[in-house]
Amino acid sequence: MADADLVLEGGGVKGSGLVGAVTALANHSDPYNFHRVAGTSAGAIVASFLAAGISPAGVKDIMDQLDFSQFEDRAGLLKKVPLLDDVAGLLIHEGLFAGEFMHQWISTTLAAHNVRTWGDLKDSDPGSSLPPEQQYRLVVIVSDVSRGLMLRLPWDFATLLGVDPDSLPVADSIRASASIPFFFRPWQMLADSAVTGHDHIVCVDGGLLSNFPLSIFDRTDGKPARWPTLGVKLAGPTSIRTEDWRPDSNNIELAKSLLSTMMSAHDSAYVDNPQASSRTIFVDTSPYQATDFHLAASDKSTLFTKGLGSGNKFLGTWDWQKWQAGNYTM
């Protein structure tokens, strides 16, 4: 069995593509065992299930059974009034959907596998370059818009929020990471006012600051890595995303294009580096969009198949020893 750490890009409802690529790694002739998993938004959701010990096949079943339209949950007095609720959601709550269903679904799924708080995901690893307070099986990327900071949770809870992560619900951090701006209400995270100046911070989708934190587990102590960190990215191996292009014919389309640009620009230069791209599985998920909440079962199957094929193609050329020697043109 081969060892690896894993980083999963955010991509909204396109998570089945991530699951397909992970399945290819898990079903390889020398199957991969993932020590630590990191992710943003949808990548954080899939990563959390893997970190909880759910097999890739089990994650696929969970995703297949999920009706993504349930994510479009509305709350408040105007929830039954068409258009008015959209206006209220955006102007009053800063998001069309409450995100309560998503939060409960994540919480229930993790609890069924005995993961509730971050303490359940602690992972003592004396051979790691990570300090003990960062030794967890999962890392979730969140954007703290109160202070303009990227949070790596649970790593930054103590230093940047002044709280102990081990008693905090994992589902809260994932819900925060998946708070796609305009679509889901921002998540308020409890904090120590002595550290942050307030008793909470406001969080949105981690993809605003890093949608694909591939280097998060790379060693920083000068010692050789014990195993690779592999990534799965929901796009082709180029920073030019023509499949997402659309004419900005109105304010909504312009806002969506601005959001897409912000969520991809931070990581694009890094991923274009052969050192990073050579260890990344690129899954072409066009023509699907991250907020296609009405995916049919056939759409999920297509995304999974694309991920599986991309993963198998990657494994046909990937060689850890050659990569370590600096051969990035495999």
Side-chain angles (χ1 to χ4, degrees):
M1 180 169 286
D3 296 309
D5 291 329
L6 183 66
V7 176
L8 303 176
E9 185 188 33
V13 299
K14 300 185 291 184
S16 293
L18 298 173
V19 181
V22 173
T23 299
L25 295 172
N27 291 348
H28 186 47
S29 56
D30 188 11
Y32 278 91
N33 174 54
F34 307 115
H35 288 262
R36 295 167 294 209
V37 193
T40 303
S41 194
I45 295 175
V46 175
S48 73
F49 294 165
L50 294 171
I54 305 175
S55 68
V59 178
K60 181 180 185 299
D61 288 341
I62 292 170
M63 301 297 283
D64 286 347
Q65 294 169 16
L66 176 65
D67 178 1
F68 283 114
S69 68
Q70 293 177 284
F71 282 6
E72 298 179 314
D73 56 345
R74 302 175 187 272
L77 297 176
L78 300 176
K79 66 180 179 180
K80 294 184 178 181
V81 182
L83 298 181
L84 284 179
D85 184 53
D86 288 348
V87 174
L90 286 172
L91 296 183
I92 300 175
H93 302 294
E94 291 121 15
L96 289 173
F97 309 121
E100 294 174 0
F101 171 82
M102 177 171 59
H103 183 250
Q104 185 59 45
W105 171 68
I106 295 168
S107 179
T108 301
T109 302
L110 291 176
H113 293 82
N114 300 313
V115 172
R116 294 173 177 82
T117 67
W118 282 105
D120 296 323
L121 291 174
K122 289 186 77 72
D123 182 29
S124 178
D125 183 6
S128 172
S129 65
L130 296 173
E133 62 270 18
Q134 292 184 354
Q135 293 185 13
Y136 293 81
R137 297 199 300 273
L138 175 68
V139 180
V140 172
I141 305 300
V142 173
S143 296
D144 171 3
V145 294
S146 300
R147 299 175 293 170
L149 297 175
M150 183 180 79
L151 301 178
R152 305 160 303 166
L153 303 180
W155 292 1
D156 294 327
F157 268 120
T159 55
L160 296 182
L161 278 76
V163 295
D164 177 9
D166 288 355
S167 61
L168 298 176
V170 177
D172 288 3
S173 299
I174 301 168
R175 165 62 177 85
S177 181
S179 301
I180 302 174
F182 309 137
F183 289 92
F184 294 110
R185 297 179 184 178
W187 183 262
Q188 293 190 0
M189 192 85 69
L190 294 178
D192 183 347
S193 59
V195 175
T196 65
H198 299 276
D199 61 1
H200 71 278
I201 59 171
V202 179
C203 302
V204 299
D205 196 310
L208 285 180
L209 297 178
S210 183
N211 208 31
F212 188 52
L214 183 59
S215 62
I216 194 166
F217 296 127
D218 290 353
R219 294 193 77 106
T220 57
D221 59 358
K223 295 181 180 179
R226 296 170 293 173
W227 50 70
T229 295
L230 302 179
V232 183
K233 187 169 176 59
L234 298 176
T238 174
S239 59
I240 302 175
R241 299 172 59 89
T242 57
E243 72 274 14
D244 288 341
W245 184 90
R246 61 182 66 86
D248 297 324
S249 56
N250 56 56
N251 289 341
I252 295 298
E253 293 301 328
L254 175 59
K256 290 167 68 176
S257 292
L258 288 171
L259 177 62
S260 177
T261 299
M262 288 188 292
M263 295 178 71
S264 62
H266 178 278
D267 301 304
S268 60
Y270 175 67
V271 174
D272 286 344
N273 184 327
Q275 191 267 359
S277 61
S278 58
R279 54 174 167 153
T280 298
I281 300 173
F282 293 93
V283 183
D284 179 7
T285 56
S286 59
Y288 300 104
Q289 301 296 323
T291 52
D292 287 341
F293 294 113
H294 295 272
L295 289 182
S298 59
D299 297 320
K300 295 179 185 179
S301 178
T302 297
L303 286 166
F304 177 85
T305 300
K306 285 188 173 190
L308 184 66
S310 297
N312 287 328
K313 180 180 178 181
F314 169 84
L315 289 168
T317 59
W318 168 251
D319 187 304
W320 168 228
Q321 282 71 34
K322 288 183 178 180
W323 190 93
Q324 283 183 300
N327 183 358
Y328 304 142
T329 58
M330 295 174 289

